[in-house]
Amino acid sequence: ADLKQVIIARAENEIEAAYADYDQRFYEIDENSINTMVEGKVGEERDEIIVIMKTAVAIVAFKSEDVLDNVRAKLAEAVPDDKELTEFDNKNIVYTLSSSNADQGTAAVNAAAEGNMTLKADAGLVDKNILVGLTKQQLNDYLSGLPEIAGFDVKFSPSFINKVPNLVDRIEVEISPGK
């Protein structure tokens, strides 16, 4: 059991050294494949015993920068059509090895990434037809009820007007990206 831990530790050290140029390294040591060979026989007296141990190791190594565009593209695919990706922190991506097949020379690595999204400027979030003729208070109540809106500012022009126009083409809605 002690020698088994030694070979695992040695394999880990060799992998870290051999793949030091890669910031992402995954490996699986198949403990069931550890093959032990002992020079000597039971009952034989010796000053030293030579034990040779071998094991199979599957290694996946890559540079984060090589897959960054792919991660960003996959994250952007997850964003709904009426929204756009505004922020993407590539320093907080978490990679996990989900499977590997040494015979085929393939591996699957999952990347968990976070980003911020905002509504596109042309998103049809606010239906102007609903706004027609609303008072300022009714308009505020309606906009407050939309979960996609973090905040809003209502302006009437000229300033003495206190109600939304009755003509849709006179209503202007601007969407600003969130912070």
Side-chain angles (χ1 to χ4, degrees):
D2 289 343
L3 290 175
K4 187 177 184 179
Q5 293 308 314
V6 168
I7 192 171
I8 290 171
R10 185 169 176 192
E12 289 172 348
N13 289 337
E14 287 183 19
I15 291 166
E16 295 297 324
Y19 294 90
D21 291 344
Y22 300 94
D23 63 327
Q24 298 298 323
R25 296 178 294 274
F26 302 97
Y27 50 87
E28 290 179 348
I29 299 172
D30 185 0
E31 293 185 31
N32 296 327
S33 74
I34 294 178
N35 186 358
T36 306
M37 193 171 72
V38 179
E39 289 185 7
K41 296 180 181 156
V42 176
E44 181 180 19
E45 289 188 30
R46 291 182 149 215
D47 290 336
E48 64 180 40
I49 297 173
I50 297 175
V51 178
I52 299 170
M53 297 180 85
K54 294 181 181 181
T55 188
V57 180
I59 303 166
V60 176
F62 60 91
K63 295 179 181 179
S64 295
E65 63 192 46
D66 292 343
V67 297
L68 195 55
D69 289 339
N70 194 15
V71 171
R72 183 180 285 117
K74 289 292 184 184
L75 187 60
E77 280 179 23
V79 174
D81 291 339
D82 63 339
K83 295 179 177 69
E84 60 188 345
L85 188 63
T86 57
E87 238 181 85
F88 171 66
D89 185 3
N90 61 356
K91 306 248 186 292
N92 291 326
I93 300 173
V94 177
Y95 297 99
T96 54
L97 179 64
S98 61
S99 66
S100 64
N101 185 325
D103 295 334
Q104 294 179 356
T106 61
V109 176
N110 292 330
E114 292 183 9
N116 291 331
M117 61 182 168
T118 188
L119 285 170
K120 289 182 178 176
D122 61 350
L125 175 68
V126 178
D127 183 357
K128 291 181 184 181
N129 293 313
I130 293 174
L131 306 181
V132 171
L134 295 179
T135 65
K136 187 169 187 171
Q137 184 58 49
Q138 290 171 325
L139 180 59
N140 286 340
D141 291 344
Y142 170 73
L143 294 174
S144 296
L146 296 175
E148 294 90 353
I149 296 179
F152 57 88
D153 185 28
V154 176
K155 295 179 185 173
F156 289 104
S157 178
S159 61
F160 61 84
I161 303 243
N162 56 7
K163 185 174 151 184
V164 177
N166 288 326
L167 299 173
V168 174
D169 61 340
R170 300 260 175 129
I171 300 171
E172 186 177 320
V173 176
E174 283 184 31
I175 296 177
S176 301
K179 303 264 187 233

